[in-house]
Structures are given as structure tokens and as C-alpha cells.
Amino acid sequence: MDSTATSPAIDETHAPGRTSWVAGASNHGDFPVQNLPLGIFSPPGGTPRPGTAIGDHILDLAMLADLLPPDVGPALAQTTLNSLFALPRAARLALRRRLSSLLSDDRHRGAVEPALRRADACELHLPAAIGDYSDFYVGIHHATNVGTLFRPDNPLLPNYKHVPIGYHGRASSVRPSGVPVVRPNGQRKAPDAAEPAFGPSQRIDYELELGVWIGPGNALGTPIPIASAADHIAGFCLLNDWSARDFQAWEYQPLGPFLAKNFQTTISPWVVTAEALAPFRRAQPARPAGDPRPLPYLWDEADQQAGALDLELEVSLLTGKMRAAGAPPHRLSCGPASNMYWTVAQIVAHHASGGCNLSPGDLLGTGTISAPDREGFGSLLEITRGGSDPVTLPNGEIRRFVEDGDEVLLSARARRDGHVAIGFGACRAMLLPALHFGAAGQI
Amino acid sequence: MDSTATSPAIDETHAPGRTSWVAGASNHGDFPVQNLPLGIFSPPGGTPRPGTAIGDHILDLAMLADLLPPDVGPALAQTTLNSLFALPRAARLALRRRLSSLLSDDRHRGAVEPALRRADACELHLPAAIGDYSDFYVGIHHATNVGTLFRPDNPLLPNYKHVPIGYHGRASSVRPSGVPVVRPNGQRKAPDAAEPAFGPSQRIDYELELGVWIGPGNALGTPIPIASAADHIAGFCLLNDWSARDFQAWEYQPLGPFLAKNFQTTISPWVVTAEALAPFRRAQPARPAGDPRPLPYLWDEADQQAGALDLELEVSLLTGKMRAAGAPPHRLSCGPASNMYWTVAQIVAHHASGGCNLSPGDLLGTGTISAPDREGFGSLLEITRGGSDPVTLPNGEIRRFVEDGDEVLLSARARRDGHVAIGFGACRAMLLPALHFGAAGQI
């Protein structure tokens, strides 16, 4: 087995001494020259096209195609990254190396500078046309916390430590950072109510997740062995799996969450590539003593050695009152991404193990990543214990769940001594009031 | 409210006296001139294009574009029907009327005949690029039967009669009739086993469902009122929701079926339009006394008057031995589509009620449609009571679940006195043996 399949190599593109000639692309922001995330943007008055973030700028890759490896050229002429994701990892790596050189070597400045746009003047789009979106449940502390609320007698089900539990989500309602979320209407039934009622959700929550972008796919009927799972992973993003907890509790049995989760999912639009994260790979934490060893199709020693990421995840809240007062967002939680019971390679191998075909541009969510303690819980459901233990914000407001006008902000930062830290960019969205449904069920 | 929104009108295209000049397009097959289903086909050596089935032939709609309504022209130049589905119902109706006239009036024969292809020489494809596929659970007898097997104490959950239960399925693995299904590998755990095992499913089942093709979509955040749900429905197909029952039992809690259902879904490739089914609409059966009245967003009198279909559904099995002996398929079950607790308009309105956006070419499955009695059960799980009461076939073979080499065939026929019956065409697929996974989890 080629161990690089599991763990992309650290090379000169990660060198801490490498800096960019682009003004403002210092080593302190999310997008130093060590990152080079890929995305789809529109410049002012222009159409969507591939770009890479560098400091406060976006490099227009289509404009620069003549200077880039010829095998990525056709993919750069597209309005989504699906074609780029479909290329073998070697092609993405060659693109990264070339971009790193173009943006760090001052001799290229004259040729490259005309293709730079100020990021704040551009619009960011979804990076890919998402064929299918699947969501997992790898945050074992989250699974335990939520299980305790939904099934006090039976928080962690017997399959959890054997099966990387996942389900299919809604691809059509995934939106990039910045697109507001309308509070959904739906059915809910309080435990003590005789009948369900229809109306605006009263328990809107966020869920802090990592998103995984699928690169090259597999043919229907042909599994992906875990040792080559990394060849199928193009990159990562942040993902807020907005959830209506009241709808979820009423609808989820026996077929799982549906309307509780499909009204919108917010992602950070930059794809932080697997290659960019190479320096931040670390061993997957050992399973607690007594936990079962995963079945062979889910077990790969190299993946265990490098299948986790040194990544800090954070959630902040900005209420309407705070915004009006010019206050900064308030941090609700912070914790490491290593609180995943299953690695990304394990969820990819599991997903395809029965022959299900993944395609370039498919999106996987990890499920909510919570730390063991309240400071690192990845949802309000957990932080407020189902609303019974509210959060008091610095301005005295209290929150059980997300309220209209609140903005939820996720962020991620990969850090390790001796390496330049990189970030994921913004993943934020504001909750807007529900539409009014009339008594006759009309809008 | 415009009642035609719920119930497409019967017009001259349904006239029983209307016949086609196309040889073999008699009134006895699935595709008389009263049907005119839409699909995507490739003629020998040609590329995929839109067509309509007439008798044993397919009419190449792109070749005929000059004779068809100009507003459908651009949609007919595509390799999927998504653009056609996106058009308002009036455009599809105009196309139907024109096709009916071209194919029944002998004066058009000279102009139209060059665009006819023999169906048996053509390949049929998926009719649309499926953005999202959702599956429901409206067959109340199926829900009760399966509930009894999975949860003997609690077969029909408290939400069932209030919520049209649904979940997201896998769009990428939907395949048209004729594409074989590879038996999936996966995790299963017998109730008495200490640990789960990984290997080929030992309980492969079919599920008899109707598929619903979404026409014009709705914007994210904007529900579809039930009274206009019909405007968003382009047509229908048969759908076999292949299921690995052993995987399902082990994985489905708490997030629902995943690998148990995503290895393949087989559909009939012809889209039988809502307009073609107009003569076969009937009142939705009254809810049993004591059942709750649906919430207002799910209730529309016009839908109750015409929301069900006079449609006979049938499942047959052809084993390898039967095929070798030249025996015909054996009918396993037969029952009416009216055994749906929720109408199609109700599932569409529910799906969009929280703002989830449906798109042209999205596919909804109704869920398994079973009659109350064994002769009409829509899955082997129900027919054989979880494998404990096997079926004996005419040649003496017995079946608990589907075996390698078996072919499962679904069919549907809409019938009513005074009208020409129409069918859905083939929905069949053969089960192939599993791939071998080595001890190390490699293929």
C-alpha cells in the first residue's frame, strides 16, 4: 500500500518561510500562500469562475490558465469545480505547486497580478454542483449528548461503535456562507400535547461540522478500499447543519431526520485541499479500552497514524442587538476536530462499501463535532441541555436556541508548531423570521 | 382555487376512439396514443435525446422539433428532460396535444414517420439528471407490516397518521430498468450474534413503489401550497427500492436507512405524465374512522376528490432456473395503488412546507405500496414474514429473499371503464453475485 494515499506529503508549498508578494497575504490570516484553497467566485459584473484565495484577494484561475498545468486547463474553464475534483490527486497537487510558485516568487508578479481581484468586491458561490450530500454522526460526544436528550435510557445505540452511522441529506438546499436562513414552518408535538401543531420552529439550532468534498468518484457497485480513500477526497469546508429540534423529535422515527434538516445547510465556500492540510495530520486518538476493533474494511494502520487533523473549531453568535451596538460576535464554543470517533477515510470507505457510487462534488458532513465538555459542545441543544440551561450573552440576552436576527458564525484554524496556520474562511448565516402560513395552509 | 391544478382535465387526447397510424400501436399495449410518455433514448449509434413511446416505437422529438410547439423546442435539444420538466404544465399539455394529433391523424404520417425508431433497437436512459431523490412511506399496510417485524410492540409510530414520513435517498445510484444490481456487501448483526459481521447481504429484497417526477420547482424558503402541488408534478414511474434487510435492521437507528438502500434503485424509464393519467384519477379513500384529520397545510378538498389513481401494480419474479427453462415470470403480488395513506399532493406539499426547494427532475418515491392482504404485499419481507414463511414458485424453487440470478419485474396498468388502459413499461433488474472482499477489507 502506498502510504501517501492516506497521508498527503509535506512539501515546499508548506515551507514556513515561503511568503507571497500579494499585498496583505501575511501569515496571520486564513489564506497565506500555504493554504491556496479553491472556490468559485464572480468578480464585479462577471460570471462564476474558479479562483484561489490569497490574503484578501482572489486569483482568477481561468485568466491564468496559460501559466498553469495544461491538464487542469479544461477544468478551469468551468463554472463549478466538479471537473477539477474529478482529476486525479496528482493533477490537483501539480496545480497547488504551480500556484504556490506563482504567488510566492516575485518574478511572476507582473504576469499574475492582473488576475488578482479584491475578495471583498467578489461574490463567492458553492464550489461545486453537489450531486449528493450525506451526513454522518462521528462526533461521539455529540451522539452521546443528543442520545441522552432523545433517548435517556439508551443514549448511544449498540451499532455506534461498529458502524460509521450516516444518512442522506438534501443537496438542493446547501448554500454558501452569507445566505440568510428562513426559519422553517413545520409539524411539532410537545410530549404533553394531544395533537401536533404546524407553525414556525421554536427550537432552531446550529450544528458545527466539517464538510468533505469528494474528488474522483467510484463506479456503481465498486467499493473504495479504505487504503485508497484519500485518493477520493478533494478537500474540506465548514458545515452548519441547521436543525429544527422540535420537528426532528416528532418526525425522525423510523426513517431519520427530514424536514428538520433540509431547509438549509450553510457551508464555507472555500475548499481547503487535503494537500494544504498535510502538515496538520495527526494520529487518530486511540479508541477507549474495551471498544470493539473496527471490521477490516474500516481498518487501515496508515489511516490510524494520520487520519485526524490538528484543527480548532469555533462557533460564535452575533445577535441583532449586539450587531446594532457594534459588539463583536460572542464565542459559544471551541474545541478540536479530533473528537471524531471515525476518520474521514473510514466514512468514505463505509459509504462506498456496498457499492454506492460517490461522484466528484459530492459533499459529506462529519456530523456535529463536540468536545467532551460544555465549552466544546457543537450545538445549542447540547450547550443548553435541550433549552433547560440557557446561555447568557455578554449583553445580558439569553439564548436557548437561535432567535430571528441572530447570526451563527463557524470558524476553523489548522495550527501546528513549526508550520504556518491556515483557516477555512467564513461560514456564517443569519436567521430570518418564518413566513406566515394562513389557517387554510396557504402562504 | 383552480380545481384543474389538482386534477388535470380529460380532453380529446384521451378519447377512446383515437388510434394511431403507427403500426403496432394498438390499444392493447402499454403505449397507445392515449399514453405518450416522455423519456430519453439513444437510437442505434446515436446520442441520448428526448422521445415518446408509441406502441413498439419511439418518436425522436428532437428530429420533429419543427412540428412541435416552439416553446418546448429548446428543451427538446437536451440530453435530459430536466428543461422540459421545468416548463409550466401548459407547455407540457400543448406538447401532448400536438403529439396526439401528429400520431393519430394520418395526414401527418409522411412528415412524422422518418422520426420513428423501433424501440427494441434503442437504449433507454434515466429521463432526467436527478438532483435529489426522496423516499416516502405512504403505504400504511407496508408500514404496519414492516413495523410489526422491526418493532413488534410498536408497529405504527404515533407520527404516522399526522406526518407523511419521508427521508432523503441516494440520487447517484438510481438506474433505469435493465441495469443489473450487484448484491452489496455490508455490516449485519443477527440478534443472537455477539458482534456484527461484514459480507454479502443475505436478505436482499425489492420494494414496489411509484416514483414521482418533479416538474417546475420552488425557490428555497418558499413552500408549495397543497392546492398548487399538481403544478409541480411532471409525471410518474415505477420504482424498485432495492433493500438489504439485514443491513437495514442493524444500521437504521437513529438516522434511518443508508447503505441498506443506496446500492441501487431501479426505475421504469418512461415518464407517464400527470396529463396521461387524468382519466384514472379517483377520490382518495376515506380515512378510517377515528384517524386524525390532517393539519390544514396537508388538506385540500379537491385533492381528496381526485388524488388517488386507478392503477394496478404487480411484481413478478424470474429465477435463473425459470429463465433457463423458458418459463414466464411468476407473479408474486398484485394490488391497487390506492393503498396510499397520503396523496402525492400531500407528500409534495409536506416536502416543501419548511422551505426545502424541489427542482425539475427531482424524484420522489411513494414508499412501498402494499395491499392489506398477502396477495398484494409489495415486498418479500412482508410476503415471507421476514423470511419465515417462504414462497414456493411453480417450478418448486423456494424464496425467502431475492437470490443471485433472479430478476424482479414491476409493472403498472391504469384502467377504467370507458377509457383506453395505459401502462408504465418495464421496470426490471437482475441481481448479480456480490464482489468478494478479502480478509483485509480489500476487493
Side-chain angles (χ1 to χ4, degrees), chain B residues 131-354:
Chain B
D132 279 284
Y133 159 49
S134 311
D135 201 14
F136 285 81
Y137 200 48
V138 305
I140 190 168
H141 307 301
H142 169 76
T144 307
N145 292 337
V146 172
T148 304
L149 291 164
F150 280 71
R151 296 174 302 276
D153 305 336
N154 206 13
L156 210 57
L157 296 167
N159 55 17
Y160 188 86
K161 293 182 175 180
H162 298 278
V163 181
I165 295 289
Y167 70 115
H168 299 112
R170 183 77 191 177
S172 72
S173 56
V174 178
R175 289 294 178 276
S177 179
V179 178
V181 177
V182 177
R183 180 186 294 270
N185 287 283
Q187 281 196 42
R188 58 179 186 275
K189 183 181 165 298
D192 56 349
E195 298 289 332
F198 182 85
S201 169
Q202 296 173 355
R203 295 163 74 94
I204 292 290
D205 201 357
Y206 60 81
E207 288 194 340
L208 168 64
E209 305 193 13
L210 276 182
V212 179
W213 290 104
I214 296 297
N218 60 309
L220 181 64
T222 307
I224 297 174
I226 187 166
S228 52
D231 292 337
H232 298 267
I233 298 165
F236 297 83
C237 63
L238 285 160
L239 187 152
N240 180 349
D241 180 23
W242 292 94
S243 299
R245 301 298 183 191
D246 39 2
F247 303 170
Q248 187 177 353
W250 174 230
E251 78 173 0
Y252 90 103
Q253 286 184 312
L255 299 181
F258 186 47
L259 302 192
K261 301 256 192 185
N262 72 9
F263 55 97
Q264 196 153 323
T265 301
T266 302
I267 62 168
S268 57
W270 288 111
V271 179
V272 178
T273 64
E275 291 72 33
L277 290 165
F280 308 101
R281 297 204 153 263
R282 54 182 287 169
Q284 171 71 356
R287 297 192 145 211
D291 279 12
R293 184 184 166 97
L295 283 159
Y297 80 102
L298 294 174
W299 191 258
D300 176 59
E301 280 298 341
D303 178 47
Q304 292 298 309
Q305 291 314 309
L309 289 170
D310 256 336
L311 194 62
E312 280 271 299
L313 305 173
E314 195 175 302
V315 186
S316 301
L317 186 73
L318 183 69
T319 69
K321 275 193 187 168
M322 290 161 68
R323 195 179 308 111
H330 173 70
R331 187 165 87 181
L332 290 174
S333 73
C334 183
S338 57
N339 285 303
M340 291 170 52
Y341 192 76
W342 300 98
T343 68
V344 170
Q346 286 173 320
I347 66 178
V348 167
H350 180 66
H351 201 324
S353 63

Side-chain angles (χ1 to χ4, degrees), chain A residues 2-301:
Chain A
D2 173 11
S3 73
T4 62
T6 304
S7 178
I10 299 176
D11 63 21
E12 74 280 4
T13 65
H14 304 99
R18 185 168 283 204
T19 55
S20 175
W21 49 259
V22 176
S26 74
N27 290 356
H28 305 297
D30 279 350
F31 305 128
V33 73
Q34 285 77 11
N35 194 344
L36 302 174
L38 301 168
I40 296 289
F41 77 103
S42 296
T47 52
R49 64 196 70 187
T52 192
I54 177 75
D56 300 327
H57 286 77
I58 299 175
L59 187 65
D60 183 330
L61 298 182
M63 264 187 76
L64 221 61
D66 288 349
L67 298 180
L68 299 174
D71 54 343
V72 302
L76 298 178
Q78 310 297 316
T79 58
T80 66
L81 295 181
N82 296 67
S83 300
L84 191 64
F85 287 170
L87 296 173
R89 175 199 274 194
R92 290 199 312 276
L93 186 57
L95 173 62
R96 172 180 172 81
R97 287 183 171 147
R98 182 66 181 152
L99 288 174
S100 176
S101 162
L102 290 172
L103 288 166
S104 59
D105 186 336
D106 202 59
R107 287 171 300 181
H108 296 299
R109 184 168 186 158
V112 173
E113 210 158 28
L116 281 177
R117 303 277 169 266
R118 280 200 57 83
D120 56 13
C122 297
E123 187 184 358
L124 288 168
H125 306 283
L126 289 182
I130 302 169
D132 279 285
Y133 159 49
S134 310
D135 202 14
F136 284 81
Y137 201 50
V138 306
I140 190 168
H141 308 301
H142 170 75
T144 306
N145 292 338
V146 172
T148 303
L149 291 164
F150 279 71
R151 297 173 302 276
D153 306 335
N154 206 12
L156 210 57
L157 295 168
N159 55 16
Y160 188 86
K161 292 182 175 179
H162 297 278
V163 180
I165 294 290
Y167 70 113
H168 298 115
R170 183 77 192 179
S172 72
S173 56
V174 178
R175 289 292 179 276
S177 178
V179 178
V181 177
V182 177
R183 180 185 295 269
N185 287 284
Q187 279 197 44
R188 58 178 187 276
K189 182 181 166 297
D192 55 351
E195 299 289 332
F198 182 86
S201 168
Q202 297 173 354
R203 295 163 75 95
I204 293 290
D205 201 358
Y206 61 80
E207 288 195 340
L208 168 65
E209 305 194 13
L210 276 181
V212 179
W213 290 104
I214 296 296
N218 60 308
L220 181 64
T222 306
I224 297 173
I226 188 167
S228 52
D231 292 336
H232 299 267
I233 297 165
F236 296 83
C237 64
L238 285 161
L239 188 152
N240 181 349
D241 180 22
W242 291 94
S243 299
R245 299 300 183 191
D246 38 2
F247 303 170
Q248 186 177 354
W250 174 229
E251 77 172 359
Y252 91 103
Q253 286 185 314
L255 299 182
F258 187 47
L259 302 192
K261 301 256 190 185
N262 72 9
F263 55 96
Q264 195 152 323
T265 301
T266 302
I267 62 168
S268 57
W270 288 110
V271 180
V272 178
T273 64
E275 291 72 32
L277 290 166
F280 309 100
R281 296 205 153 265
R282 54 182 289 169
Q284 171 71 355
R287 297 192 146 210
D291 279 12
R293 183 185 167 96
L295 283 158
Y297 80 101
L298 293 173
W299 190 258
D300 176 58
E301 280 298 340

